[in-house]
Amino acid sequence: QKEVEQDPGPLSVPEGAIVSLNCTYSNSAFQYFMWYRQYSRKGPELLMYTYSSGNKEDGRFTAQVDKSSKYISLFIRDSQPSDSATYLCAMRIPNAGGTSYGKLTFGQGTILTVHP
Amino acid sequence: NAGVTQTPKFQVLKTGQSMTLQCAQDMNHEYMSWYRQDPGMGLRLIHYSVGAGITDQGEVPNGYNVSRSTTEDFPLRLLSAAPSQTSVYFCASSRGTGASNEQFFGPGTRLTVL
């Protein structure tokens, strides 16, 4: 079983829709949670990060973390065609040592297409 | 700032050949790492470095070597390429490894091993 499972999609939504992207994880040592956006043929770029349960908003994006259920979500409001990308959840263990030092554990990614 | 740069963008190798993937950053970041991205697998850590002269293995290090002689550069060497190393390789850097230390990724190198 993978440590981080992400809904694989792909997702195709009309412009203006609310998008929900989800990941579950099995390792309760994960404490830092991130969402990366990756445009086609580009490297991932950090969209949001959080290290506490609850919601964090940034414009049209809301990151939600539920540590008791080991579940994180990213919501995109009023989705735009420019949001079309692969979204990757990632998480990290603070102060991890050995081969886990600084390591981000990624979900498989969800391909999102927002059509006009 | 150019950020994180990677060369080449594309490469085709034959089984058994060796090559070096280049990575450079101009942000004076201490922490650098290499990931590979495969369909359905997300990104997996190959090797990382916490500063010049210090490297260590990540999750999938076999078949790869790294060195870090300067803060700016972190090359990844494939010793004897195998088809299983066909992947997209990303280099990343960050100031540190705390929660607020964003990892910046390069544009990637697409490698095909025949």
Side-chain angles (χ1 to χ4, degrees), chain B residues 62-114:
Chain B
N62 292 341
Y64 307 96
N65 268 0
V66 292
S67 60
R68 183 110 178 257
S69 55
T70 66
T71 299
E72 294 77 21
D73 300 296
F74 190 42
L76 178 72
R77 293 185 193 83
L78 277 70
L79 309 172
S80 176
S84 60
Q85 294 178 303
T86 293
S87 187
V88 183
Y89 291 85
F90 289 100
C91 178
S93 76
S94 64
R95 194 175 52 197
T97 58
S100 60
N101 287 313
E102 176 181 352
Q103 286 204 26
F104 293 87
F105 284 81
T109 294
R110 292 181 174 273
L111 175 69
T112 301
V113 182
L114 303 175

Side-chain angles (χ1 to χ4, degrees), chain B residues 7-47:
Chain B
T7 56
K9 286 189 169 53
F10 303 93
Q11 184 69 50
V12 178
L13 292 178
K14 293 181 181 175
T15 296
Q17 287 185 314
S18 62
M19 79 159 294
T20 299
L21 280 63
Q22 301 292 344
C23 173
Q25 51 89 11
D26 60 359
M27 298 173 281
N28 202 31
H29 284 169
E30 289 299 318
Y31 183 83
M32 296 185 74
S33 53
W34 277 101
Y35 290 85
R36 58 177 289 173
Q37 185 174 31
D38 302 292
M41 302 288 289
L43 282 86
R44 292 179 292 167
L45 183 66
I46 305 171
H47 284 286

